[in-house]
Amino acid sequence: MATGTYVVEVDWNNDGTFTGSGETVTSRTLHMDFFRGRDVDSQLTGRSIAGTCQLILNNQSGDYNSFNSASPLTGSLVPGRLVQVRATGPTAGTLWKGYIDRIIPKPSAKGLDTVVIECIGPLGFVNLKEVSVSMLTDVRAGSIIGSILDQAGWPTGTAYRDLDTGTGTAIRRVWFFRTRALEAMRQIEVTESGFLRESGDGKIVFEGRHRRLNATYQTSQATFSDSATGTLTYMTVEQEDPLPFVFSEFAATVMAYTTGTLGTLWKLQDTGTLAPLLRASGTLTLWAKYPNATSTINAVGVDSWTTPTATVDYNIFSDSAGTGTNLNSAIAVTVGKFGSEMSQLFNNTGTRDGFITLTQARGVPLLASEATVVSTTGTSTAFGTRTYPSPAQFIPNLNEAKDWADWNLSIYQNPVVRFNLSFVANKDNTHLTQAILREISDRVTLIATSTRSNLGLTRPMNIEAIRQVIDADRNHTVTYYLSDAIPPDAWVLDTSELGTTTKLAF
């Protein structure tokens, strides 16, 4: 058996490094269990969830008790601190990187006091934020993901992001308002038919739908065999039920947008005695929303808002009836424009209280009509008639929708292979090296032909999720959740001969 060399670190002082006192907690670590990747190992329906990591530490010293004023970490035992698990031998690599979610002391009257530190990955961390992205037009998927991350406060640079531009047609229109960051990014993910995930070293990764078709991902990085004499062997292999992912019909809906005529899109109805009071030297923010109860039936948003003008769009008077002194000259208005909302912050710089007797929002409405494209086998298959509707809201045109539906029907009208395999990483240095270096989306080869498994297949697979468990004795087990290396028959530039056994990829 081999023994890996691991380092577990927590940035307790929140300075972005792990060099502070008590920040290397390796010697206190009793157990590690971390996961990242898709919730379901299907390239069609699976979505990356926020990674998780559970660390169990020796807490006999009481250092990790937040109410212990004698702890050298007093004031630092809070959520959001950076956590890293890395290996330094037999090769170097970061296994998991994320942020503390909860710290749970586990005192014991008779045994060892421990603490459980529960952590979340980068996707969970950014999802703590709501984002509002103004109307974007004709923008690629990767750029939109970048804008969402900017709004969520996620750092820029290659140490934090790995974003493909995106393969599909530029998205015609997209906007978000007070939407959880992960929810917003997933909408772009499904529109591109790409893959949003976390890397082992803590990056947020967005793969365009053709990333796995480039040369790196077409090459198997490791072969796991059920042969007793194989270089890389596995402990268990399990075939997962493919039937829930067989579909005989795919449907995608496209929104076609037009713009209306500039006009009043929203107006405050509270006037007279109900007019909002704006105190001297005070502020008040009102939100205009469109569409609303009085909107055109096919209104979906606002192409452009008009910056409010005094007297035309707002009036502030010294009395609620609007017959006193007009205070507009003492009012500064700041607006924030989004795809379906506009904020209006009124700042009374004067010395008199005022009443907002008029406020409205003008703009150009965005109207939409929808059409749905369906690709079908035309008959009920042996697996029944099953429809998969695309969850994407921003597919740019009907041609792209049809290509998406045709492509997926060609793959998922038949069962697609899915497996999970587990191996003992510390069996030897070869297995440990694979445990440290393999990344989600890597291609590996699964051999399951011997009488030990009787599965009768040799198959290229993609890693969709990874779970690793390391105990106090440094016993290290790894589970890969694998999907068929779809599409095995896609045409790849400079590699495949089109029209023989391959077809153009979507």
Side-chain angles (χ1 to χ4, degrees), residues 483-497:
S483 72
D484 210 351
I486 295 171
D489 54 354
W491 183 73
V492 182
L493 185 64
D494 296 327
T495 300
S496 306
E497 183 178 350

Side-chain angles (χ1 to χ4, degrees), residues 67-281:
F67 294 110
N68 177 13
S69 59
S71 167
L73 300 175
T74 297
S76 297
L77 298 167
V78 294
R81 297 305 199 236
L82 190 63
V83 174
Q84 178 172 263
V85 180
R86 58 189 176 92
T88 59
T91 190
T94 303
L95 299 174
W96 198 91
K97 194 171 185 177
Y99 301 85
I100 290 178
D101 187 33
R102 295 193 301 169
I103 300 174
I104 310 167
K106 298 284 187 179
S108 173
K110 296 182 179 180
L112 181 69
D113 292 345
T114 61
V115 62
V116 177
I117 301 179
E118 296 181 352
C119 311
I120 55 175
L123 290 177
F125 190 70
V126 298
N127 201 45
L128 298 173
K129 303 288 185 66
E130 288 186 336
V131 299
S132 294
V133 177
S134 299
M135 180 73 67
L136 300 174
T137 58
D138 297 320
V139 184
R140 293 282 182 177
S143 178
I144 301 170
I145 296 284
S147 295
I148 294 168
L149 291 175
D150 292 344
Q151 287 288 314
W154 186 251
T156 58
T158 56
Y160 299 94
R161 306 181 184 191
D162 176 9
L163 308 181
D164 286 350
T165 300
T167 306
T169 305
I171 295 174
R172 293 173 62 189
R173 288 184 181 270
V174 62
W175 67 96
F176 297 102
F177 182 72
R178 291 183 179 174
T179 305
R180 288 287 181 181
L182 183 53
E183 178 184 345
M185 289 190 289
R186 279 180 170 163
Q187 264 304 315
I188 306 307
E189 174 190 25
V190 296
T191 298
E192 162 69 16
S193 292
F195 183 26
L196 179 73
R197 63 175 177 86
E198 302 166 344
S199 66
D201 59 357
K203 295 185 184 72
I204 290 179
V205 181
F206 175 64
E207 300 180 3
R209 64 174 179 253
H210 284 182
R211 180 184 282 207
R212 292 187 182 183
L213 298 183
N214 71 40
T216 300
Y217 293 93
Q218 290 291 304
T219 303
S220 179
Q221 303 299 308
T223 297
F224 290 89
S225 172
D226 57 357
S227 169
T229 59
T231 303
L232 292 170
T233 60
Y234 45 83
M235 180 173 54
T236 62
V237 64
E238 180 180 356
Q239 180 176 327
E240 299 189 40
D241 183 7
L243 297 188
F245 306 97
V246 176
F247 299 96
S248 56
E249 185 172 272
F250 284 82
T253 298
V254 177
M255 304 295 287
Y257 298 104
T258 57
T259 54
T261 304
L262 175 66
T264 301
L265 303 183
W266 173 88
K267 189 171 185 177
L268 184 67
Q269 300 302 312
D270 288 348
T271 58
T273 57
L274 296 177
L277 174 64
L278 182 59
R279 295 286 189 185
S281 302

Side-chain angles (χ1 to χ4, degrees), residues 315-388:
N315 271 320
I316 288 84
F317 282 88
S318 59
D319 63 75
S320 61
T323 56
T325 302
N326 187 292
L327 305 177
N328 286 349
S329 61
I331 306 302
V333 180
T334 304
V335 299
K337 300 176 181 179
F338 301 96
S340 53
E341 286 83 7
M342 180 171 72
S343 64
Q344 303 173 80
L345 187 154
F346 295 89
N347 182 13
N348 186 347
T349 64
T351 59
R352 300 181 65 180
D353 293 348
F355 292 87
I356 302 176
T357 61
L358 164 69
T359 180
Q360 65 180 23
R362 290 177 294 141
V364 176
L366 186 65
L367 312 175
S369 60
E370 65 179 47
T372 299
V373 170
V374 176
S375 291
T376 179
T377 59
T379 59
S380 177
T381 69
F383 307 102
T385 301
R386 301 177 182 178
T387 300
Y388 183 82

Side-chain angles (χ1 to χ4, degrees), residues 272-294:
T273 57
L274 296 177
L277 174 64
L278 182 59
R279 295 286 189 185
S281 302
T283 62
L284 178 66
T285 300
L286 299 176
W287 284 89
K289 181 177 175 63
Y290 186 88
N292 49 54
T294 62

